[in-house]
Amino acid sequence: MRRAVVLALAALAAFTTRIGSAHATDENSFITRCATCHQQNAQGLPGMYPPLADSIGNELRLKHGREYLIEVVLNGMAGSIEVKGTTYTGLMPEFSSLSDNEIAATLNQVLTKFNAGELPKDFTPITAAEVHTARARKIPAARMPNQRKSLMEELQKAHAADGVAK
């Protein structure tokens, strides 16, 4: 059974990578690249693919949060993470074949369309230059869950007093 799940995830990752390389405009970049796993409403699939809606905008309150979001798209993620009390064990493929502009546009669409209520007041869109800088770091997908855990702990500490942290 576990082998079948791993094979299914690998097939889905290959499919997602292939469709992710297709040209997409800013308006449909999420649908083209992310909705296969995270669903058109960005609510994800329980246990496999975490929600992106109302769950990642808060991360931009920290400089490292911007970097983390870019790194997840560039490098993918392998391993378990917890989002809003639910554990997800899926495989996100890397999208490093996309241009810096395409990655920035996709992230900005997810942030502004599905996370507007969580964005900091001083939010500025992610830039292609930020994506370009992140490419040099090449963080392995298996390290990304630990990166997220550290980021969540930092957010809890930074915003414990204002009640913003999730």
Side-chain angles (χ1 to χ4, degrees), residues 51-61 65 68-69 107 110-111 115 118-119 148:
L52 298 178
D54 301 319
S55 66
I56 65 172
N58 198 37
E59 294 167 21
L60 295 180
R61 295 179 188 283
Y68 165 78
L69 292 176
L107 281 168
V110 171
L111 290 166
N115 291 274
E118 286 194 337
L119 294 176
R148 184 177 194 288

Side-chain angles (χ1 to χ4, degrees), residues 62 146-160 165-166:
L62 301 173
N146 287 335
Q147 295 282 87
R148 184 177 194 288
K149 184 178 178 185
S150 294
L151 180 64
M152 295 299 106
E153 289 170 358
E154 189 177 345
L155 272 172
Q156 289 292 356
K157 290 177 186 173
H159 299 290
K166 295 189 178 214

Side-chain angles (χ1 to χ4, degrees), residues 132-143:
H132 181 76
T133 299
R135 280 187 193 277
R137 291 192 283 270
K138 299 196 190 274
I139 297 171
R143 231 177 94 203

Side-chain angles (χ1 to χ4, degrees), residues 10-92:
L12 183 58
F15 172 74
T16 304
T17 299
R18 187 177 42 189
I19 67 165
S21 64
H23 176 71
T25 63
D26 289 356
E27 292 80 35
N28 71 8
S29 57
F30 172 80
I31 297 299
T32 303
R33 298 187 176 103
C34 312
T36 300
C37 298
H38 295 285
Q39 306 303 294
Q40 288 190 2
N41 61 3
Q43 293 300 319
L45 287 174
M48 288 190 76
Y49 302 110
L52 298 178
D54 301 319
S55 66
I56 65 172
N58 198 37
E59 294 167 21
L60 295 180
R61 295 179 188 283
L62 301 173
K63 180 181 183 234
H64 179 66
R66 292 176 73 87
E67 295 166 354
Y68 165 78
L69 292 176
I70 296 166
E71 290 164 354
V72 167
V73 175
L74 279 170
N75 304 310
M77 182 181 287
S80 296
I81 63 169
E82 185 178 312
V83 178
K84 297 183 179 183
T86 300
T87 300
Y88 295 86
T89 307
L91 172 67
M92 179 169 161

Side-chain angles (χ1 to χ4, degrees), residues 107-116 119 123:
L107 281 168
N108 287 325
Q109 185 184 24
V110 171
L111 290 166
T112 58
K113 182 174 182 176
F114 299 108
N115 291 274
L119 294 176
F123 168 73

